[in-house]
């Protein structure tokens, strides 16, 4: 049996992953450690190989995930790691949090108490403060009021509060209004931490830097840099450049199954949305929307064939799509094509695809389906 079916596959460069981590470490101050965000199967890159590489080869100690299942999976790979659950865990699973030595994000005193009632071994936590994201966390008019509830949480029996944190809403924007908004968010969380210090509560961690803040407003006050999308070489926002050297870790490839010459006036694919206006060479490619290559790219996206851009024609099907290779006479059945990645002098990024149909690069890489094997290249 071959190691994988050469139909559609994603190539993940561990060498580039290591390089990206080195660059991020250089951005951070010596007092700030990277917390690698590996939720959603490491943003679609495959958490097993990514986590092993991050821990064993990059020296990453801290990891962030979305839920308990992800935390337990990472714990199995990284026995000594510090793992923070950013999202909600039902209190009835508190024993599992304790058993696997996971750090839970806590959003209120009530939630913290419920977790401790369900745990037989104590709960480690970081307290989330909502400074303007409007999602989860303590929300108060003043840092002093916020610090008072954190102080109450610190007094809950069976709970070990190790830090506080927040999440920026627009750190990926360079507009003056949004910069001011992020400044206010940062001031609120740091003032809350300082209020706690004045109360005699010394916490190990204060963190607020996401990928965007790590790139554009790095602060030595944040003990952790929660680096997510930039680990994988994509932009927090396509309108802003990321530091030189940060490059995509993933490439998406497929093959041509057939090339045929089609005369003018012929329909291509479902719905008859594309009709040839001349004689064309049409290649069928072995990937479709069930693989996570969005149907929204129908007659819009481009694919690299022998280093040349070829336009998708007609609707993308569940398992296949068609492209115009009239200007690539050497294209033939069995050729490897590149949907994301570099071929010769041309490159197509997940961010580019995202801009075509109005989303973000995060969604593109996270959306590549499980039936697409990840092949790791060192």
């Amino acid at each position: 049996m071959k190691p994988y079916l050469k139909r559609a596959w994603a190539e993940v460069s561990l060498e580039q992953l290591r390089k990206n981590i080195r660059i991020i470490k250089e951005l951070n101050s010596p007092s700030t450690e990277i917390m690698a965000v590996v939720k959603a199967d490491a943003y679609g890159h495959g958490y097993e190989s990514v986590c092993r590489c991050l821990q064993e080869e990059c020296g990453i100690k801290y990891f962030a995930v979305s839920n308990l299942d992800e935390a337990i999976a990472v714990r199995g790979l990284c026995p000594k790691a510090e793992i923070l659950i950013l999202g909600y865990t039902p209190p009835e699973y508190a024993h599992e949090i304790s058993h696997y030595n996971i750090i839970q994000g806590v959003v209120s005193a009530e939630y913290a108490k419920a977790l401790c009632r369900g745990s037989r071994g104590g709960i480690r936590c970081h307290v989330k403060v909502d400074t303007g994201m409007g999602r989860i966390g303590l929300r108060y008019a003043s840092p002093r009021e916020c610090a008072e509830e954190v102080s109450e949480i610190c007094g809950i029996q069976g709970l070990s509060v190790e830090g506080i944190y927040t999440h920026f809403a627009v750190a990926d924007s360079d507009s003056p209004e949004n910069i001011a908004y992020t400044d206010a968010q940062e001031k609120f969380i740091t003032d809350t931490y300082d209020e706690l210090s004045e109360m005699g509560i010394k916490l190990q961690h204060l963190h607020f830097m996401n990928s965007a803040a790590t790139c554009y407003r790095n602060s030595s006050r944040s003990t952790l840099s929660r680096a997510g999308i930039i680990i994988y070489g994509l932009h927090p926002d396509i309108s802003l450049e990321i530091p030189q050297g940060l490059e995509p870790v993933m490439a998406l490839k497929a093959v041509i199954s057939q090339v045929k010459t089609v005369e003018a006036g012929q329909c291509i694919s479902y719905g008859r949305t594309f009709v040839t206006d001349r004689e064309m060479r049409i290649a069928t490619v072995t990937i479709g929307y069930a693989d996570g290559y969005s149907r929204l790219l129908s007659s819009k996206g481009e694919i690299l064939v022998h280093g040349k851009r070829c336009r998708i024609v007609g609707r993308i099907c569940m398992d296949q799509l068609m492209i115009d290779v009239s200007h690539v006479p050497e294209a033939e059945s069995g050729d490897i094509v590149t949907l994301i990645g570099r071929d010769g002098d041309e490159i197509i990024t997940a961010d580019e695809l995202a801009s075509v149909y109005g989303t973000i690069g995060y969604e593109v890489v996270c959306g590549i389906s499980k039936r697409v094997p990840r092949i790791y290249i060192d």
Side-chain angles (χ1 to χ4, degrees), residues 259-263 279-282:
V259 179
K260 63 178 71 173
T261 300
V262 177
E263 61 271 23
E279 183 178 276
M280 300 173 70
R281 293 183 77 233
I282 301 296

Side-chain angles (χ1 to χ4, degrees), residues 50-305:
V50 167
C51 287
R52 286 196 179 101
C53 179
L54 290 172
Q55 179 183 245
E56 297 170 10
E57 300 180 50
C58 302
I60 299 298
K61 177 183 177 182
Y62 294 93
F63 293 84
V65 297
S66 171
N67 56 59
L68 181 59
D69 284 342
E70 292 179 346
I72 292 172
V74 174
R75 172 61 71 222
L77 296 166
C78 307
K80 297 181 180 180
E82 298 281 31
I83 304 167
L84 171 64
I85 296 176
L86 298 169
Y88 175 73
T89 303
E92 55 263 37
Y93 291 95
H95 177 66
E96 283 78 3
I97 296 172
S98 175
H99 175 75
Y100 288 100
N101 192 28
I102 306 298
I103 304 167
Q104 174 63 49
V106 163
V107 298
S108 68
E110 291 74 19
Y111 179 55
K113 291 172 184 176
L115 287 171
C116 289
R117 284 194 296 269
S119 169
R120 296 191 291 275
I123 295 290
R124 301 172 64 199
C125 79
H126 289 191
V127 178
K128 177 69 180 291
V129 179
D130 178 8
T131 59
M133 183 68 174
R135 198 162 57 181
I136 57 173
L138 311 183
R139 190 171 182 94
Y140 284 96
S142 71
R144 181 68 185 186
E145 292 173 288
C146 189
E148 287 171 354
E149 180 162 354
V150 176
S151 176
E152 178 188 345
I153 292 171
C154 289
I156 296 171
Q157 187 173 0
L159 191 71
S160 175
V161 178
E162 300 176 7
I164 61 171
Y165 67 110
T166 197
H167 192 74
F168 290 150
V170 285
D172 55 356
S173 171
D174 60 357
S175 78
E177 181 181 352
N178 284 336
I179 290 172
Y181 192 88
T182 309
D183 287 343
Q185 284 194 268
E186 182 173 332
K187 186 176 189 310
F188 193 99
I189 190 71
T190 55
D191 284 354
T192 300
Y193 184 85
D194 293 341
E195 290 280 1
L196 287 165
S197 295
E198 289 181 9
M199 295 176 180
I201 298 172
K202 304 293 185 182
L203 300 177
Q204 180 183 359
H205 288 294
L206 161 68
H207 52 106
F208 46 83
M209 288 199 302
N210 54 6
S211 283
T214 299
C215 289
Y216 311 127
R217 47 181 303 131
N218 205 286
S219 170
S220 61
R221 289 217 63 186
S222 187
T223 61
L224 299 171
S225 160
R226 298 193 309 270
I229 200 68
I230 57 172
I231 285 179
Y232 312 103
L234 299 180
H235 292 68
D237 185 287
I238 192 61
S239 67
L240 298 179
E241 292 296 322
I242 54 178
Q244 187 174 6
L246 289 176
E247 298 287 345
V249 171
M250 180 191 288
L252 180 63
K253 303 197 175 176
V255 298
I256 292 174
S257 59
Q258 184 180 12
V259 179
K260 63 178 71 173
T261 300
V262 177
E263 61 271 23
Q266 297 301 302
C267 300
I268 305 296
S269 197
Y270 290 112
R272 301 175 60 199
T273 60
F274 182 86
V275 180
T276 57
D277 59 1
R278 66 188 187 283
E279 183 178 276
M280 300 173 70
R281 293 183 77 233
I282 301 296
T284 300
V285 177
T286 55
I287 194 169
Y289 61 76
D291 301 294
Y293 192 80
S294 177
R295 192 170 179 266
L296 293 171
L297 292 164
S298 298
S299 293
K300 295 179 181 177
E302 295 179 321
I303 292 173
L304 302 180
V305 182

